[in-house]
Amino acid sequence: MRPLRYSVVTAAATVAALTAVTGCTEKSSATDGDGVIEVTATDTKCKVSKKEFPAGHVELDIENKGSKVTEVYILFPDDRVVTERENIGPGTKQKVTAEVKAGEYRIACKPGMKGDGIRQDVTATGTGKVAKRDPRLDEAVAAYRKYVQTQADETLPLVKVFTDAVKDGDIEAAKKAYAPSRIGWERTEPVAESFGDIDPKVDVREDGLEDGRTDENTEEDWTGWHRLERSLWKDGKLTARDFELADQLVKDLQDWQNRVGKAEITPTSMANGAKELLDEVATGKVTGEEERYSHTDLVDFKANVEGAEESYELLKPVASENDPALTKELDKQFAALNTLLDKYRADKNGYDFVSYDKVGKDEQKELSDAVNALAEPLSQLAAAVVK
Protein backbone atom coordinates (compact mmCIF):
# COMPACT_ATOMS: atom_id res chain seq x y z
CA MET A 1 0.00 0.00 0.00
CA ARG A 2 1.19 3.54 -0.83
CA PRO A 3 1.37 6.26 1.81
CA LEU A 4 -1.88 7.16 3.53
CA ARG A 5 -4.30 9.12 1.37
CA TYR A 6 -7.71 9.49 2.93
CA SER A 7 -9.19 11.31 5.89
CA VAL A 8 -11.48 9.56 8.37
CA VAL A 9 -15.15 9.25 7.40
CA THR A 10 -17.60 11.02 9.67
CA ALA A 11 -21.04 9.70 10.40
CA ALA A 12 -22.75 12.91 9.30
CA ALA A 13 -20.92 13.00 6.00
CA THR A 14 -21.76 9.38 5.36
CA VAL A 15 -25.46 10.12 5.70
CA ALA A 16 -25.11 13.04 3.29
CA ALA A 17 -23.39 10.83 0.73
CA LEU A 18 -26.11 8.21 0.61
CA THR A 19 -27.97 10.25 -1.99
CA ALA A 20 -25.47 9.21 -4.64
CA VAL A 21 -23.99 6.36 -6.58
CA THR A 22 -24.08 3.14 -8.34
CA GLY A 23 -26.53 0.49 -9.28
CA CYS A 24 -28.23 1.38 -12.56
CA THR A 25 -27.53 4.95 -13.61
CA GLU A 26 -29.53 7.68 -15.21
CA LYS A 27 -29.45 7.84 -18.95
CA SER A 28 -26.28 9.56 -20.09
CA SER A 29 -23.40 8.64 -22.33
CA ALA A 30 -19.90 9.90 -21.81
CA THR A 31 -19.25 9.45 -25.50
CA ASP A 32 -21.80 12.11 -26.50
CA GLY A 33 -19.67 14.82 -24.93
CA ASP A 34 -22.05 15.81 -22.12
CA GLY A 35 -20.46 13.29 -19.77
CA VAL A 36 -16.84 14.10 -20.65
CA ILE A 37 -14.95 16.18 -18.07
CA GLU A 38 -11.50 17.45 -18.94
CA VAL A 39 -9.23 17.44 -15.90
CA THR A 40 -5.96 19.34 -16.06
CA ALA A 41 -3.65 18.48 -13.19
CA THR A 42 -0.56 20.47 -12.24
CA ASP A 43 1.57 20.58 -9.10
CA THR A 44 -0.66 23.33 -7.68
CA LYS A 45 -4.00 23.16 -9.51
CA CYS A 46 -6.78 20.76 -10.46
CA LYS A 47 -8.82 22.38 -13.23
CA VAL A 48 -12.06 20.78 -14.45
CA SER A 49 -13.86 21.75 -17.65
CA LYS A 50 -17.29 21.65 -16.02
CA LYS A 51 -18.71 21.74 -12.53
CA GLU A 52 -22.01 20.11 -13.55
CA PHE A 53 -22.60 17.11 -15.77
CA PRO A 54 -25.39 14.59 -16.41
CA ALA A 55 -25.56 11.60 -14.11
CA GLY A 56 -24.73 8.31 -15.78
CA HIS A 57 -21.51 7.23 -17.43
CA VAL A 58 -18.91 9.92 -16.92
CA GLU A 59 -15.50 10.05 -18.56
CA LEU A 60 -12.57 11.91 -17.03
CA ASP A 61 -10.16 13.04 -19.74
CA ILE A 62 -7.07 13.69 -17.62
CA GLU A 63 -3.86 15.47 -18.56
CA ASN A 64 -0.99 15.87 -16.11
CA LYS A 65 0.79 19.14 -16.89
CA GLY A 66 2.72 19.11 -13.63
CA SER A 67 6.20 17.89 -12.78
CA LYS A 68 5.05 15.16 -10.36
CA VAL A 69 3.30 11.84 -10.80
CA THR A 70 -0.32 12.39 -9.84
CA GLU A 71 -3.58 10.56 -9.25
CA VAL A 72 -7.14 11.73 -9.83
CA TYR A 73 -10.28 10.71 -7.93
CA ILE A 74 -14.02 11.15 -8.01
CA LEU A 75 -14.98 11.23 -4.34
CA PHE A 76 -18.16 11.27 -2.32
CA PRO A 77 -18.47 14.23 0.09
CA ASP A 78 -17.23 11.96 2.90
CA ASP A 79 -14.10 10.93 0.94
CA ARG A 80 -15.31 7.47 -0.05
CA VAL A 81 -14.01 6.68 -3.51
CA VAL A 82 -16.23 6.42 -6.58
CA THR A 83 -13.28 5.85 -8.91
CA GLU A 84 -9.63 6.72 -9.20
CA ARG A 85 -6.69 6.58 -11.55
CA GLU A 86 -3.19 6.46 -10.10
CA ASN A 87 0.29 6.74 -11.50
CA ILE A 88 -0.37 9.45 -14.10
CA GLY A 89 3.10 10.62 -15.09
CA PRO A 90 4.10 14.18 -15.98
CA GLY A 91 3.14 15.06 -19.54
CA THR A 92 0.83 12.06 -19.93
CA LYS A 93 -2.90 11.62 -20.42
CA GLN A 94 -5.39 9.08 -19.08
CA LYS A 95 -9.11 8.44 -19.54
CA VAL A 96 -11.31 7.01 -16.80
CA THR A 97 -14.93 5.93 -17.20
CA ALA A 98 -17.10 5.95 -14.09
CA GLU A 99 -20.75 5.38 -13.26
CA VAL A 100 -22.47 7.93 -11.01
CA LYS A 101 -25.95 8.86 -9.91
CA ALA A 102 -27.21 12.38 -9.35
CA GLY A 103 -25.59 14.03 -6.36
CA GLU A 104 -22.65 16.02 -5.05
CA TYR A 105 -19.06 14.83 -5.60
CA ARG A 106 -15.51 16.07 -5.53
CA ILE A 107 -12.81 15.64 -8.15
CA ALA A 108 -9.38 15.54 -6.51
CA CYS A 109 -5.91 15.69 -8.04
CA LYS A 110 -3.07 14.49 -5.81
CA PRO A 111 0.34 15.65 -7.04
CA GLY A 112 2.98 13.30 -5.73
CA MET A 113 0.14 10.87 -4.90
CA LYS A 114 0.07 12.09 -1.29
CA GLY A 115 -2.19 14.06 0.99
CA ASP A 116 -5.80 15.18 0.50
CA GLY A 117 -5.07 16.65 -2.90
CA ILE A 118 -6.48 19.70 -4.67
CA ARG A 119 -10.26 19.44 -4.88
CA GLN A 120 -13.10 20.74 -6.99
CA ASP A 121 -16.75 20.37 -5.99
CA VAL A 122 -18.89 19.04 -8.84
CA THR A 123 -22.51 17.99 -9.29
CA ALA A 124 -24.05 15.14 -11.27
CA THR A 125 -27.48 16.33 -12.36
CA GLY A 126 -30.65 14.78 -13.72
CA THR A 127 -33.77 12.91 -12.73
CA GLY A 128 -34.52 11.28 -16.06
CA LYS A 129 -35.21 7.67 -16.91
CA VAL A 130 -32.90 5.04 -15.57
CA ALA A 131 -30.83 3.39 -18.26
CA LYS A 132 -31.38 -0.31 -18.65
CA ARG A 133 -28.23 -2.24 -17.89
CA ASP A 134 -27.22 -5.48 -19.58
CA PRO A 135 -28.39 -8.13 -17.06
CA ARG A 136 -25.03 -9.87 -17.43
CA LEU A 137 -23.40 -6.84 -15.82
CA ASP A 138 -25.78 -7.04 -12.88
CA GLU A 139 -24.81 -10.70 -12.56
CA ALA A 140 -21.14 -9.72 -12.67
CA VAL A 141 -21.63 -7.19 -9.87
CA ALA A 142 -23.50 -9.74 -7.75
CA ALA A 143 -20.81 -12.36 -8.29
CA TYR A 144 -18.04 -9.90 -7.51
CA ARG A 145 -19.81 -8.76 -4.35
CA LYS A 146 -19.93 -12.39 -3.23
CA TYR A 147 -16.25 -12.81 -4.10
CA VAL A 148 -15.24 -9.76 -2.06
CA GLN A 149 -17.23 -10.93 0.96
CA THR A 150 -15.72 -14.41 0.72
CA GLN A 151 -12.22 -12.95 0.64
CA ALA A 152 -12.95 -10.93 3.78
CA ASP A 153 -14.53 -13.89 5.56
CA GLU A 154 -11.58 -16.16 4.73
CA THR A 155 -9.01 -13.53 5.72
CA LEU A 156 -10.03 -13.23 9.38
CA PRO A 157 -9.06 -16.79 10.42
CA LEU A 158 -5.68 -16.36 8.71
CA VAL A 159 -5.17 -13.05 10.46
CA LYS A 160 -5.97 -14.72 13.78
CA VAL A 161 -3.23 -17.28 13.17
CA PHE A 162 -0.83 -14.40 12.57
CA THR A 163 -1.90 -12.26 15.53
CA ASP A 164 -2.06 -15.22 17.92
CA ALA A 165 1.56 -15.99 17.07
CA VAL A 166 2.47 -12.35 17.71
CA LYS A 167 0.75 -12.37 21.10
CA ASP A 168 2.47 -15.66 21.96
CA GLY A 169 5.79 -14.00 21.21
CA ASP A 170 6.53 -16.66 18.58
CA ILE A 171 8.45 -14.62 16.00
CA GLU A 172 9.06 -17.46 13.53
CA ALA A 173 5.41 -18.57 13.56
CA ALA A 174 4.29 -14.97 13.09
CA LYS A 175 6.66 -14.51 10.15
CA LYS A 176 5.30 -17.65 8.52
CA ALA A 177 1.68 -16.52 8.97
CA TYR A 178 2.22 -12.89 7.91
CA ALA A 179 2.01 -13.09 4.09
CA PRO A 180 -0.91 -15.58 3.94
CA SER A 181 -2.93 -13.29 6.21
CA ARG A 182 -2.76 -10.53 3.57
CA ILE A 183 -3.87 -12.42 0.45
CA GLY A 184 -7.62 -11.78 0.64
CA TRP A 185 -7.03 -8.12 1.42
CA GLU A 186 -4.66 -7.72 -1.53
CA ARG A 187 -7.09 -9.39 -3.93
CA THR A 188 -9.84 -6.89 -3.09
CA GLU A 189 -7.91 -3.82 -1.96
CA PRO A 190 -9.78 -1.23 -4.11
CA VAL A 191 -13.04 -2.14 -2.37
CA ALA A 192 -11.41 -1.81 1.05
CA GLU A 193 -9.85 1.51 0.04
CA SER A 194 -13.21 2.84 -1.14
CA PHE A 195 -14.34 3.21 2.49
CA GLY A 196 -11.56 5.69 3.14
CA ASP A 197 -10.95 5.03 6.83
CA ILE A 198 -10.06 1.33 7.06
CA ASP A 199 -7.02 1.15 4.80
CA PRO A 200 -4.96 3.71 6.81
CA LYS A 201 -5.50 1.66 9.94
CA VAL A 202 -4.37 -1.70 8.57
CA ASP A 203 -2.12 -1.23 5.53
CA VAL A 204 -0.20 2.05 5.69
CA ARG A 205 3.54 1.76 5.12
CA GLU A 206 6.22 3.53 7.08
CA ASP A 207 6.66 6.19 4.37
CA GLY A 208 2.97 7.00 4.88
CA LEU A 209 4.02 8.69 8.12
CA GLU A 210 6.05 11.30 6.31
CA ASP A 211 3.47 13.44 4.51
CA GLY A 212 3.57 16.15 7.13
CA ARG A 213 -0.20 16.33 7.51
CA THR A 214 -1.60 16.76 10.99
CA ASP A 215 -4.43 14.25 10.48
CA GLU A 216 -2.26 11.35 9.32
CA ASN A 217 -0.66 8.60 11.30
CA THR A 218 2.47 9.32 13.28
CA GLU A 219 5.01 6.82 14.50
CA GLU A 220 3.21 6.77 17.82
CA ASP A 221 -0.21 5.85 16.42
CA TRP A 222 0.92 3.79 13.40
CA THR A 223 -1.07 0.54 13.31
CA GLY A 224 -1.60 -2.41 11.00
CA TRP A 225 0.26 -5.15 9.21
CA HIS A 226 3.34 -3.16 8.25
CA ARG A 227 3.94 -1.88 11.76
CA LEU A 228 4.05 -5.49 12.94
CA GLU A 229 6.14 -6.45 9.91
CA ARG A 230 8.78 -3.99 11.06
CA SER A 231 8.83 -5.43 14.58
CA LEU A 232 9.20 -8.98 13.28
CA TRP A 233 11.84 -8.51 10.61
CA LYS A 234 13.70 -5.29 11.41
CA ASP A 235 13.50 -5.10 15.20
CA GLY A 236 13.52 -8.86 15.71
CA LYS A 237 11.51 -8.59 18.91
CA LEU A 238 7.95 -8.20 20.11
CA THR A 239 6.82 -5.88 22.87
CA ALA A 240 3.61 -5.17 24.76
CA ARG A 241 2.83 -2.55 22.12
CA ASP A 242 2.93 -5.24 19.42
CA PHE A 243 0.47 -7.36 21.37
CA GLU A 244 -1.89 -4.37 21.41
CA LEU A 245 -1.35 -3.84 17.69
CA ALA A 246 -2.24 -7.47 17.01
CA ASP A 247 -5.60 -7.08 18.75
CA GLN A 248 -6.22 -3.79 16.95
CA LEU A 249 -5.51 -5.38 13.56
CA VAL A 250 -8.14 -8.05 14.19
CA LYS A 251 -10.64 -5.43 15.32
CA ASP A 252 -10.06 -3.23 12.26
CA LEU A 253 -10.30 -6.15 9.85
CA GLN A 254 -13.52 -7.31 11.49
CA ASP A 255 -14.84 -3.83 10.75
CA TRP A 256 -13.80 -4.34 7.11
CA GLN A 257 -15.47 -7.76 7.05
CA ASN A 258 -18.71 -6.33 8.40
CA ARG A 259 -18.80 -3.36 6.03
CA VAL A 260 -17.57 -4.90 2.79
CA GLY A 261 -21.04 -6.18 1.84
CA LYS A 262 -22.25 -2.57 1.79
CA ALA A 263 -19.58 -1.36 -0.62
CA GLU A 264 -20.68 0.61 -3.67
CA ILE A 265 -19.90 -1.63 -6.65
CA THR A 266 -20.68 -1.06 -10.34
CA PRO A 267 -19.32 -2.65 -13.53
CA THR A 268 -17.09 0.39 -14.07
CA SER A 269 -15.81 0.35 -10.48
CA MET A 270 -14.93 -3.32 -10.95
CA ALA A 271 -13.03 -2.53 -14.16
CA ASN A 272 -11.27 0.49 -12.67
CA GLY A 273 -10.51 -1.51 -9.53
CA ALA A 274 -8.73 -4.10 -11.66
CA LYS A 275 -6.54 -1.34 -13.06
CA GLU A 276 -5.95 0.02 -9.53
CA LEU A 277 -4.64 -3.38 -8.48
CA LEU A 278 -2.09 -3.27 -11.29
CA ASP A 279 -1.15 0.25 -10.19
CA GLU A 280 -0.59 -1.13 -6.68
CA VAL A 281 1.81 -3.66 -8.17
CA ALA A 282 3.63 -1.03 -10.21
CA THR A 283 4.03 1.48 -7.37
CA GLY A 284 4.73 -0.88 -4.48
CA LYS A 285 5.34 -4.52 -5.25
CA VAL A 286 7.69 -4.31 -8.25
CA THR A 287 9.74 -1.66 -6.45
CA GLY A 288 9.99 -3.74 -3.28
CA GLU A 289 8.61 -0.87 -1.19
CA GLU A 290 5.45 -2.62 0.02
CA GLU A 291 7.09 -5.41 2.01
CA ARG A 292 10.38 -3.69 2.65
CA TYR A 293 11.21 -5.76 5.75
CA SER A 294 9.68 -9.18 5.02
CA HIS A 295 10.36 -9.16 1.24
CA THR A 296 7.11 -11.08 0.69
CA ASP A 297 6.16 -8.72 -2.16
CA LEU A 298 5.56 -11.52 -4.67
CA VAL A 299 2.74 -12.93 -2.53
CA ASP A 300 1.01 -9.52 -2.60
CA PHE A 301 1.86 -9.22 -6.30
CA LYS A 302 0.17 -12.51 -7.15
CA ALA A 303 -2.89 -11.68 -5.04
CA ASN A 304 -3.27 -8.30 -6.76
CA VAL A 305 -3.15 -9.97 -10.16
CA GLU A 306 -5.69 -12.59 -9.09
CA GLY A 307 -8.08 -9.91 -7.88
CA ALA A 308 -7.75 -7.98 -11.13
CA GLU A 309 -8.30 -11.13 -13.17
CA GLU A 310 -11.43 -12.02 -11.18
CA SER A 311 -13.02 -8.67 -12.08
CA TYR A 312 -11.98 -9.04 -15.69
CA GLU A 313 -13.35 -12.56 -16.08
CA LEU A 314 -16.72 -11.51 -14.63
CA LEU A 315 -16.96 -8.57 -17.04
CA LYS A 316 -15.50 -10.42 -20.02
CA PRO A 317 -18.80 -11.74 -21.53
CA VAL A 318 -19.94 -8.16 -22.20
CA ALA A 319 -16.51 -6.69 -22.91
CA SER A 320 -15.71 -9.40 -25.46
CA GLU A 321 -18.80 -8.47 -27.48
CA ASN A 322 -18.14 -4.75 -27.29
CA ASP A 323 -14.38 -4.90 -27.88
CA PRO A 324 -13.13 -8.38 -28.91
CA ALA A 325 -9.66 -7.09 -29.75
CA LEU A 326 -9.28 -5.72 -26.22
CA THR A 327 -10.28 -8.95 -24.49
CA LYS A 328 -7.98 -10.93 -26.77
CA GLU A 329 -5.09 -8.70 -25.69
CA LEU A 330 -6.08 -8.92 -22.02
CA ASP A 331 -6.21 -12.72 -22.18
CA LYS A 332 -2.73 -12.70 -23.68
CA GLN A 333 -1.22 -10.31 -21.14
CA PHE A 334 -2.81 -11.94 -18.07
CA ALA A 335 -1.45 -15.30 -19.24
CA ALA A 336 2.02 -13.85 -19.83
CA LEU A 337 2.18 -12.19 -16.40
CA ASN A 338 0.94 -15.28 -14.59
CA THR A 339 3.48 -17.43 -16.41
CA LEU A 340 6.25 -15.04 -15.42
CA LEU A 341 5.15 -15.05 -11.78
CA ASP A 342 5.15 -18.84 -11.77
CA LYS A 343 8.93 -18.73 -12.29
CA TYR A 344 9.28 -17.40 -8.75
CA ARG A 345 7.10 -19.95 -6.98
CA ALA A 346 8.85 -22.21 -4.49
CA ASP A 347 6.02 -24.68 -5.07
CA LYS A 348 3.70 -25.10 -8.05
CA ASN A 349 0.34 -24.40 -6.47
CA GLY A 350 0.87 -22.50 -3.23
CA TYR A 351 1.91 -19.01 -2.22
CA ASP A 352 5.46 -19.77 -1.23
CA PHE A 353 7.36 -17.34 -3.46
CA VAL A 354 11.01 -16.39 -3.65
CA SER A 355 12.02 -13.62 -1.26
CA TYR A 356 11.93 -10.42 -3.28
CA ASP A 357 15.37 -9.30 -2.19
CA LYS A 358 16.66 -12.29 -4.16
CA VAL A 359 15.09 -11.01 -7.39
CA GLY A 360 17.68 -9.15 -9.48
CA LYS A 361 17.30 -5.79 -11.17
CA ASP A 362 16.94 -7.33 -14.63
CA GLU A 363 14.25 -9.70 -13.35
CA GLN A 364 12.45 -6.81 -11.63
CA LYS A 365 12.53 -4.93 -14.95
CA GLU A 366 11.01 -7.95 -16.68
CA LEU A 367 8.22 -8.08 -14.11
CA SER A 368 7.65 -4.34 -14.44
CA ASP A 369 7.41 -4.57 -18.22
CA ALA A 370 4.86 -7.39 -17.95
CA VAL A 371 2.76 -5.35 -15.49
CA ASN A 372 2.82 -2.33 -17.81
CA ALA A 373 1.89 -4.47 -20.81
CA LEU A 374 -1.23 -5.61 -18.94
CA ALA A 375 -2.06 -2.27 -17.29
CA GLU A 376 -2.43 -0.36 -20.55
CA PRO A 377 -5.23 -2.49 -22.08
CA LEU A 378 -6.76 -2.99 -18.64
CA SER A 379 -7.24 0.79 -18.41
CA GLN A 380 -9.67 0.46 -21.34
CA LEU A 381 -11.89 -2.17 -19.75
CA ALA A 382 -14.35 0.22 -18.07
CA ALA A 383 -15.07 1.95 -21.37
CA ALA A 384 -15.56 -1.41 -23.06
CA VAL A 385 -18.26 -2.61 -20.67
CA VAL A 386 -20.41 0.52 -21.15
CA LYS A 387 -20.23 0.81 -24.95
Side-chain angles (χ1 to χ4, degrees):
M1 176 63 205
R2 295 189 317 283
L4 181 61
R5 298 173 296 184
Y6 311 125
S7 60
V8 175
V9 177
T10 65
T14 300
V15 172
L18 292 178
T19 58
V21 93
T22 71
C24 292
T25 56
E26 293 187 359
K27 199 169 184 178
S28 172
S29 172
T31 60
D32 64 11
D34 290 342
V36 177
I37 305 169
E38 295 177 1
V39 180
T40 305
T42 72
D43 295 345
T44 57
K45 295 181 180 178
C46 185
K47 294 176 62 178
V48 297
S49 62
K50 60 186 72 170
K51 296 292 186 71
E52 291 190 357
F53 49 87
H57 293 129
V58 175
E59 180 182 280
L60 300 185
D61 191 351
I62 305 164
E63 182 174 7
N64 182 5
K65 291 187 175 181
S67 64
K68 301 176 182 178
V69 175
T70 195
E71 55 192 18
V72 174
Y73 293 77
I74 299 178
L75 300 169
F76 291 103
D78 62 2
D79 274 9
R80 286 180 299 121
V81 179
V82 178
T83 196
E84 65 177 294
R85 182 55 49 84
E86 304 172 1
N87 232 18
I88 307 169
T92 64
K93 298 181 179 181
Q94 292 272 347
K95 292 185 184 226
V96 186
T97 300
E99 193 172 344
V100 298
K101 277 188 175 180
E104 302 300 319
Y105 298 88
R106 294 188 179 109
I107 292 176
C109 306
K110 298 189 179 183
M113 302 202 302
K114 291 185 177 183
D116 280 336
I118 306 156
R119 301 179 174 213
Q120 297 281 359
D121 291 335
V122 296
T123 303
T125 62
T127 56
K129 292 182 179 180
V130 174
K132 192 172 182 179
R133 179 190 283 166
D134 188 319
R136 292 175 297 175
L137 293 177
D138 289 326
E139 292 170 5
V141 168
Y144 186 67
R145 188 178 295 282
K146 183 177 180 180
Y147 171 76
V148 171
Q149 186 66 63
T150 298
Q151 294 304 308
D153 292 345
E154 292 179 351
T155 293
L156 263 296
L158 296 173
V159 170
K160 282 286 290 177
V161 172
F162 169 60
T163 56
D164 284 351
V166 169
K167 291 192 292 181
D168 288 342
D170 191 336
I171 290 177
E172 291 309 311
K175 285 182 175 181
K176 184 177 180 180
Y178 171 77
S181 76
R182 292 176 49 76
I183 291 171
W185 172 273
E186 292 290 338
R187 285 173 176 158
T188 60
E189 194 165 0
V191 175
E193 289 182 348
S194 72
F195 295 114
D197 61 335
I198 297 176
D199 183 89
K201 296 177 183 178
V202 305
D203 201 31
V204 70
R205 302 188 321 230
E206 188 166 11
D207 48 325
L209 311 178
E210 300 170 0
D211 286 352
R213 290 171 49 209
T214 57
D215 61 336
E216 287 191 347
N217 288 6
T218 64
E219 172 69 27
E220 184 177 340
D221 60 15
W222 179 23
T223 60
W225 268 300
H226 294 303
R227 174 61 181 83
L228 290 166
E229 178 201 8
R230 191 182 73 174
S231 292
L232 291 167
W233 274 273
K234 183 182 180 182
D235 300 339
K237 62 181 180 180
L238 295 167
T239 66
R241 174 59 176 158
D242 295 306
F243 306 153
E244 294 172 357
L245 291 169
D247 285 334
Q248 186 64 45
L249 179 61
V250 172
K251 180 180 177 181
D252 291 335
L253 289 172
Q254 286 172 337
D255 184 26
W256 164 57
Q257 180 189 29
N258 292 335
R259 291 165 62 183
V260 74
K262 302 172 186 176
E264 305 285 0
I265 299 174
T266 66
T268 54
S269 74
M270 288 170 59
N272 290 327
K275 173 60 165 60
E276 289 164 33
L277 285 168
L278 266 291
D279 288 338
E280 290 284 347
V281 173
T283 59
K285 281 69 174 184
V286 168
T287 62
E289 295 175 65
E290 179 81 2
E291 307 291 356
R292 63 191 64 189
Y293 305 119
S294 65
H295 305 301
T296 56
D297 302 87
L298 288 173
V299 177
D300 291 359
F301 191 143
K302 179 63 175 176
N304 285 158
V305 173
E306 288 178 336
E309 194 164 14
E310 179 71 17
S311 291
Y312 166 59
E313 289 295 339
L314 290 171
L315 297 170
K316 184 177 174 180
V318 173
S320 62
E321 290 183 8
N322 293 341
D323 195 338
L326 177 65
T327 54
K328 182 178 180 181
E329 181 65 14
L330 285 169
D331 287 343
K332 174 185 172 183
Q333 297 302 338
F334 267 116
L337 182 54
N338 281 318
T339 297
L340 184 57
L341 279 171
D342 284 344
K343 288 173 49 178
Y344 299 97
R345 286 186 188 272
D347 60 76
K348 290 185 178 181
N349 300 312
Y351 277 82
D352 189 7
F353 283 87
V354 172
S355 181
Y356 201 63
D357 58 338
K358 306 299 182 186
V359 178
K361 293 296 183 183
D362 289 344
E363 293 167 311
Q364 290 181 24
K365 175 66 163 55
E366 185 182 27
L367 286 165
S368 179
D369 289 345
V371 169
N372 291 335
L374 173 58
E376 194 284 323
L378 199 57
S379 70
Q380 303 171 42
L381 181 59
V385 300
V386 300
K387 279 185 178 179

